[in-house]
Amino acid sequence: MLLLSVLYSALYPFGDNFAFLVLSALGLAVIFGMMGVINLAHGEFIMCGAYVTITLNKSGLPLPLAMLAGATAAAMAGCAVERLVVRHLYGRLDDSVVATWAISLIVQQSMLLLAGPSLEGLSTPFGSFTLGEYSFATYRALLPLIAIAVLLVLYWLFFHTNYGVCARATIQNARMASCLGLETDRIYTQTFALGAGLAGLAGALYAPTMTAVPTMGSAFIVQAFVSVVVGGANVLIGTIPAAMALGAIQTGLNAWYGQLAGQIGLLITAMLVIRLLPNGVGQLFTRNR
């Protein structure tokens, strides 16, 4: 039992970091990998999911349903942003970066005026469990499994549904897909909404673990961008190995030198990957295939 508790005490922070990296990056990776849009409003979709989850759960809605509603609200917000702003900026990367950054600032300040500087959070569900002399939060222990489950659902969505076939065809050649009768504009809207919904899901899942503030998206955005850079544009192939590598680096540096060193280690890793593997670690698995 002692050996098991010591081993799990080392794996627990790795699993926590892995889940955080995967869940925070998935929405950004979908939008960038499939649409070529760098969404700087990603953190605000995360904040939307968290705020809706907390508000509805305090109103009496069960937590799982409140989380689902938070993800749905973020997806609906993403649909509106794509139709009103992003749709007009495809192929204009710099303009889309500036536009989504402006949306981020507007949403942050609007939430500050409407909801105040902070929103009282939720209690963490499921309590804790002990192994030997160590105690662990049950909810955080489940988050890595939830992250893997979300990836499996995405795999099913992209490879076993009609939407997935149409989306992959649009990515490869949008003009040809349009000539064959696909409504590429509708597919782009659905894809952006999917990415925003995944961001909202990340905020909803982490709502019981952190204080909700208008700028809470900044706690996710660095890890999200680093994970996408390291993993590459292919969200299904690159995300897991990138999150595992980055999670191991961050866990080790956090344990030895503190959280600041862990953040610096992530950024240095991203710079090295950009230099050595410009298309991310996902290209290694693509080549093998």
Side-chain angles (χ1 to χ4, degrees):
M1 178 62 71
L2 178 61
L3 179 60
L4 178 62
S5 63
V6 172
L7 179 61
Y8 188 74
S9 68
L11 291 177
Y12 177 81
F14 167 76
D16 193 26
N17 288 328
F18 170 81
F20 189 86
L21 290 165
V22 170
L23 293 171
S24 63
L26 276 180
L28 189 67
V30 166
I31 292 174
F32 173 68
M34 299 187 67
M35 305 174 67
V37 174
I38 299 177
N39 177 27
L40 291 186
H42 179 70
E44 281 53 59
F45 291 123
I46 292 174
M47 181 264 292
C48 174
Y51 268 70
V52 171
T53 298
I54 292 172
T55 302
L56 292 180
N57 183 246
K58 288 185 175 181
S59 300
L61 192 68
L63 183 59
L65 294 180
M67 289 179 173
L68 181 60
T72 303
M76 294 173 63
C79 181
V81 168
E82 194 279 335
R83 286 183 175 274
L84 296 175
V85 179
V86 177
R87 171 171 295 190
H88 307 286
L89 301 175
Y90 291 131
R92 298 160 57 185
L93 182 61
D94 294 341
D95 293 342
S96 65
V97 168
V98 173
T100 54
W101 179 53
I103 292 171
S104 169
L105 296 178
I106 291 170
V107 172
Q108 282 186 20
Q109 296 305 311
S110 299
M111 288 303 300
L112 181 61
L113 293 173
L114 292 173
S118 65
L119 183 66
E120 185 179 352
L122 304 174
S123 58
T124 304
F126 306 135
S128 61
F129 64 95
T130 58
L131 281 177
E133 59 182 7
Y134 299 100
S135 178
F136 307 97
T138 305
Y139 183 73
R140 284 190 174 273
L142 293 174
L143 286 175
L145 301 178
I146 295 174
I148 294 173
V150 172
L151 280 170
L152 292 176
V153 170
L154 277 181
Y155 177 84
W156 171 81
L157 180 66
F158 285 126
F159 288 96
H160 294 89
T161 66
N162 183 62
Y163 161 75
V165 174
C166 296
R168 286 185 287 124
T170 302
I171 296 165
Q172 292 180 7
N173 193 322
R175 289 185 177 181
M176 181 62 70
S178 179
C179 291
L180 293 174
L182 294 182
E183 298 181 23
T184 54
D185 288 343
R186 179 173 58 86
I187 293 171
Y188 280 138
T189 300
Q190 292 172 343
T191 302
F192 198 94
L194 173 63
L198 288 170
L201 178 62
L205 288 170
Y206 279 94
T209 68
M210 61 197 316
T211 302
V213 297
T215 58
M216 67 178 296
S218 60
F220 294 80
I221 199 72
V222 173
Q223 283 90 340
F225 272 101
V226 169
S227 298
V228 172
V229 167
V230 173
N234 193 318
V235 60
L236 297 176
I237 296 178
T239 300
I240 288 183
M244 292 181 67
L246 293 171
I249 291 170
Q250 187 175 21
T251 301
L253 291 176
N254 285 351
W256 294 331
Y257 302 108
Q259 292 187 353
L260 179 60
Q263 295 288 333
I264 294 174
L266 293 183
L267 296 176
I268 292 176
T269 303
M271 289 188 290
L272 291 174
V273 170
I274 291 174
R275 179 65 181 87
L276 301 175
L277 297 170
N279 295 321
V281 297
Q283 76 181 64
L284 299 176
F285 299 92
T286 303
R287 285 176 180 174
N288 289 337
R289 292 178 62 190

